[in-house]
Amino acid sequence: MAPSRPLRPATQSDVAREVGVSRTLVSFAFRGAPGVSGETKEAIFEAAKRLGYRPNAVAADLARKHRSAVGLYLMDIRNEVYADILSGVRLALPQDGNRLILSVSRSVDGVDRGALESLIEARAGIIIAATLLDPDESVQELAQIVPLVSVTRPVPGVDSVYSDDIAGARAATEHLLGLGHKRIAHLAGPVYDGHTARRRSYEKTMHDAGLKPQTLAADDFTQEAGQRATTLLLKQSGRPTAIFTHNDQLALGAREAAYALGLSIPQDLSIVGYDNSRIAGLHGIDLTTVNLHAASLGQAAGAIALERLKNPEGPIADESLRPELVIRNSTAPPPAQT
Amino acid sequence: MAPSRPLRPATQSDVAREVGVSRTLVSFAFRGAPGVSGETKEAIFEAAKRLGYRPNAVAADLARKHRSAVGLYLMDIRNEVYADILSGVRLALPQDGNRLILSVSRSVDGVDRGALESLIEARAGIIIAATLLDPDESVQELAQIVPLVSVTRPVPGVDSVYSDDIAGARAATEHLLGLGHKRIAHLAGPVYDGHTARRRSYEKTMHDAGLKPQTLAADDFTQEAGQRATTLLLKQSGRPTAIFTHNDQLALGAREAAYALGLSIPQDLSIVGYDNSRIAGLHGIDLTTVNLHAASLGQAAGAIALERLKNPEGPIADESLRPELVIRNSTAPPPAQT
DNA sequence: GTGAAAGCGCTAACAC
DNA sequence: GTGTTAGCGCTTTCAC
């Protein structure tokens, strides 16, 4: 049989009745508000404990009118970058101030409107969103309904923190160029508004070097999608000697595809990822990649959210962090005879 | 300047006033309850859209008295096993029924009571917890306050779904034994109640083979902790020829430690992990490990939670799944001369 | 130092 | 079909 449980969880009123005071006192005691004598306070805590009373944060928020909860939307829980962002956000939030409501998209690819809606319906006072795939207009529209901080992607008119993707992609491409590669392909993610900076920067860098860019789009941001797309790419004639991918997950997929075809990395094929997720640094993976400092992005986003909560009319934040190329062992000069 | 935003989000009353009906109708319309004429319904939706009205799920839950939200506690967001569990839980929950409230522990090691409390305070009707490190009594106590489903670990008197760790650890150890290893060490996690099955099973299997077990405990469940502990272990004289770790994260750390000391895997050292996380299957990692079918665990937990919500007095669930050894390339016979 | 009363946005009988 | 009413558990003036 199930463990015996009080049929109805204890409420403030129960505690008040038990102690013989009014609900107000109980409320005050639990929020550490002044105006409760030490004795009463102790009696209240004692009774609360005996009754198993837990404050109802949800009812409190409702009564308080002003929504203090911070909603955090994460696009892909399997991508450790988002765990880093979460850590960063937490660092920025006061220990015991704002509740953090988490929401994880269920489809990595595509736009999970439901996950965002759930944050709104849970009455988050502000939403930190990493990463939004929706077109700019949709994001701006959403920001009308609830204050929004866009992480990882700049949206005009909306608080944003992001990494300088133009610089990151240029560094990655130039690294490959510098090694002597000419046929460098770019494996992009699905095409979404606000997510074309890396691709555009790659293409521009190639053009500037007098080379023809070759971009292909994976149908998702996952390892599996990267593997599918790369397999197709490598089976074509005149395959590239290097691939620069939109993120590490895609790069991981590209590796698998290459190995499955019997190619060696970096001897036959160089690969550069993006994110510098922890996996990239593992022995046996050794992926050259671009560090976008996800934890710092998260921390900055948290600070911006707090500021916005305090000052709804303040100026719009637009912070851009400098990424940094991390050279490991997945890149080398192109094979001699090609 | 910040985008213009309505000072106060629209409520049901606002919509009702706008249309010229009572709040009840609006409530009914939004929940698809019968008793609203098609015409009225349309007028309501139209007005709601114009006013930017969003239902307040929190207030609804409060009014509804019965808590339908499912709380999911995840111990380590960086361990992909927990992402698998999340996916499984989602599969089990009805698309539009129960809200899912997520909570991630901030310290991997140790017990993050706060993360659990936040679920209670957010008024989850039931909590699915993966993985609880607290002693049995604490868990049972918690289960008095709110229905609980323990994932990954059996707790007497509490709904539990878990993998058969005894069998899994035995299979892992026997695999190593079968390859001819004699000096097999076990890298356990920090010692917590309810988390000793893998270790005990390893020790028993060693004893049964007439061998002396050598267990060491990492100070956390992370890769970093695994690396620290293994570095110490390998620097001792008479180092083991194989290590079986409590989870894949620790195994990843063990690999790094071995490589840093110039050892080869599996030539100099065999390693067996536990979890079969996605990383384990990557080319270049190729970790032999035990599949605990995390997604299935999550799905089963979700189903149990639903059942418990429906029938608070039903019999206590105790489901155990069969794990399965996945042999890859991190294990081989021990080096010849030792 | 303590309490009464109103109200947060919503649901759920129960009338009309 | 539609509206009225009484809460859900809590916070918050404002009086005592």
Side-chain angles (χ1 to χ4, degrees):
Chain A
M1 291 314 291
S4 77
R5 216 172 346 249
L7 289 97
R8 194 177 51 83
T11 75
Q12 253 180 12
S13 310
D14 296 328
V15 178
R17 195 176 315 117
E18 179 85 4
V19 183
V21 295
S22 79
R23 272 164 57 204
T24 314
L25 271 314
V26 182
S27 171
F28 277 36
F30 267 89
R31 282 174 299 136
V36 191
S37 72
E39 232 174 281
T40 315
K41 203 180 261 182
E42 248 173 60
I44 288 176
F45 286 149
E46 201 276 317
K49 192 165 178 198
R50 202 172 42 219
L51 264 44
Y53 165 73
R54 304 283 164 144
N56 183 337
V58 149
D61 249 35
L62 185 59
R64 216 171 354 230
K65 274 165 196 169
H66 118 269
R67 356 197 148 279
S68 65
V70 174
L72 178 57
Y73 169 86
L74 264 22
M75 180 176 87
D76 182 7
I77 200 189
R78 304 190 118 82
N79 185 338
E80 210 176 333
V81 163
Y82 291 98
D84 289 338
I85 291 177
L86 167 60
S87 312
V89 169
R90 273 194 170 145
L91 243 46
L93 297 188
Q95 293 296 31
D96 212 58
N98 313 63
R99 288 190 303 129
L100 185 62
I101 314 176
L102 240 49
S103 176
V104 176
S105 169
R106 73 199 64 201
S107 64
V108 177
D109 166 32
V111 181
D112 185 355
R113 221 49 215 268
L116 235 24
E117 293 287 339
S118 80
L119 251 25
I120 297 180
E121 289 180 4
R123 258 13 185 194
I126 189 160
I127 295 180
I128 300 178
T131 305
L132 250 23
L133 258 21
D134 312 51
D136 279 2
E137 302 78 49
S138 309
V139 178
Q140 287 156 344
E141 210 169 285
L142 187 64
Q144 298 286 107
I145 296 166
V146 54
L148 196 72
V149 182
S150 170
V151 184
T152 262
R153 155 175 178 206
V155 178
V158 175
D159 290 322
S160 309
V161 233
Y162 50 95
S163 179
D164 182 350
D165 281 358
I166 305 282
R170 191 192 316 119
T173 311
E174 284 177 346
H175 167 60
L176 257 11
L177 253 17
L179 286 170
H181 290 273
K182 304 258 181 264
R183 292 205 306 279
I184 305 171
H186 175 57
L187 177 53
V191 181
Y192 286 112
D193 217 24
H195 280 272
T196 53
R198 297 179 194 172
R199 171 226 276 252
R200 278 181 292 117
S201 175
Y202 149 81
E203 290 176 351
K204 177 170 189 316
T205 308
M206 290 292 280
H207 276 130
D208 289 353
L211 294 169
K212 200 165 138 273
Q214 179 186 10
T215 303
L216 68 160
D219 53 18
D220 204 337
F221 290 103
T222 61
Q223 176 188 325
E224 290 73 22
Q227 181 160 359
R228 278 194 298 273
T230 307
T231 302
L232 256 44
L233 172 69
L234 294 180
K235 279 185 173 161
Q236 290 171 199
S237 62
R239 59 173 163 75
T241 59
I243 303 181
F244 163 48
T245 66
H246 178 84
N247 72 11
D248 281 354
Q249 300 293 314
L250 291 172
L252 256 21
R255 286 176 80 253
E256 295 300 314
Y259 285 122
L261 294 173
L263 300 178
S264 300
I265 298 170
Q267 293 76 13
D268 301 317
L269 181 72
S270 286
I271 295 184
V272 181
Y274 209 113
D275 281 351
N276 194 31
S277 43
R278 188 177 40 122
I279 303 182
L282 253 27
H283 188 106
I285 301 287
D286 272 326
L287 184 68
T288 295
T289 184
V290 179
N291 190 351
L292 53 55
H293 304 294
S296 306
L297 286 178
Q299 192 166 1
I304 292 173
L306 253 27
E307 184 54 37
R308 174 64 64 215
L309 239 27
K310 229 177 296 170
N311 182 7
E313 300 306 326
I316 290 178
D318 180 275
E319 287 184 32
S320 153
L321 269 53
R322 269 263 299 291
E324 154 186 55
L325 183 68
V326 180
I327 299 177
R328 295 211 179 84
N329 230 333
S330 66
T331 46
Q337 70 281 33
T338 39
Chain B
M1 293 308 314
S4 77
R5 217 171 347 251
L7 289 95
R8 194 178 50 83
T11 75
Q12 255 181 12
S13 310
D14 297 329
V15 178
R17 193 175 319 115
E18 178 86 4
V19 183
V21 296
S22 79
R23 274 163 54 206
T24 313
L25 269 314
V26 181
S27 171
F28 276 36
F30 268 88
R31 282 176 296 139
V36 191
S37 70
E39 231 174 280
T40 316
K41 203 180 258 180
E42 247 172 59
I44 289 176
F45 285 148
E46 202 277 317
K49 193 166 176 199
R50 202 172 40 217
L51 263 45
Y53 165 74
R54 305 280 163 148
N56 183 336
V58 151
D61 248 36
L62 185 59
R64 217 171 353 229
K65 275 167 190 158
H66 111 270
R67 354 194 150 282
S68 64
V70 175
L72 178 57
Y73 169 85
L74 265 22
M75 179 175 90
D76 182 8
I77 200 190
R78 306 190 117 82
N79 185 338
E80 208 174 334
V81 163
Y82 292 98
D84 290 338
I85 291 177
L86 167 59
S87 312
V89 169
R90 274 194 170 144
L91 243 46
L93 298 188
Q95 293 295 34
D96 212 60
N98 313 62
R99 286 191 304 130
L100 185 61
I101 313 176
L102 241 47
S103 176
V104 176
S105 169
R106 75 199 63 200
S107 64
V108 178
D109 166 32
V111 181
D112 185 356
R113 220 50 214 269
L116 235 24
E117 293 287 339
S118 80
L119 251 24
I120 297 179
E121 289 180 5
R123 258 12 187 196
I126 189 160
I127 295 181
I128 300 177
T131 305
L132 250 23
L133 259 19
D134 311 52
D136 279 2
E137 303 78 48
S138 308
V139 177
Q140 287 155 344
E141 211 170 284
L142 187 65
Q144 298 286 109
I145 297 166
V146 53
L148 196 71
V149 182
S150 170
V151 184
T152 263
R153 156 177 177 203
V155 179
V158 175
D159 290 322
S160 309
V161 233
Y162 50 95
S163 178
D164 182 350
D165 281 358
I166 305 283
R170 191 193 314 118
T173 310
E174 285 178 346
H175 167 60
L176 257 10
L177 253 17
L179 287 170
H181 290 273
K182 304 257 181 266
R183 291 205 308 281
I184 305 172
H186 175 58
L187 178 54
V191 182
Y192 286 112
D193 218 27
H195 281 272
T196 54
R198 296 179 195 172
R199 171 226 275 252
R200 279 182 290 115
S201 175
Y202 149 81
E203 289 176 352
K204 178 170 189 315
T205 308
M206 289 293 279
H207 277 131
D208 289 352
L211 261 23
K212 200 165 136 272
Q214 179 187 11
T215 302
L216 69 160
D219 54 18
D220 204 338
F221 290 103
T222 60
Q223 175 188 327
E224 290 73 23
Q227 181 160 0
R228 279 194 297 273
T230 306
T231 301
L232 257 43
L233 172 69
L234 294 180
K235 280 183 171 163
Q236 290 171 198
S237 62
R239 61 174 162 74
T241 59
I243 303 180
F244 162 49
T245 66
H246 178 83
N247 72 13
D248 281 353
Q249 299 293 313
L250 291 171
L252 256 23
R255 286 176 80 251
E256 296 300 313
Y259 285 122
L261 293 173
L263 300 178
S264 299
I265 297 171
Q267 293 77 12
D268 302 317
L269 181 72
S270 286
I271 295 184
V272 180
Y274 209 112
D275 282 351
N276 194 31
S277 42
R278 189 177 39 124
I279 304 182
L282 254 28
H283 187 105
I285 301 286
D286 272 326
L287 184 67
T288 296
T289 184
V290 179
N291 190 351
L292 53 55
H293 304 294
S296 307
L297 286 178
Q299 193 166 0
I304 293 173
L306 253 27
E307 183 55 36
R308 174 63 67 215
L309 240 26
K310 229 177 294 170
N311 182 8
E313 301 306 327
I316 290 178
D318 181 274
E319 287 184 30
S320 153
L321 269 54
R322 268 264 300 292
E324 153 186 54
L325 183 68
V326 180
I327 300 177
R328 295 211 179 83
N329 230 333
S330 67
T331 47
Q337 71 282 34
T338 39

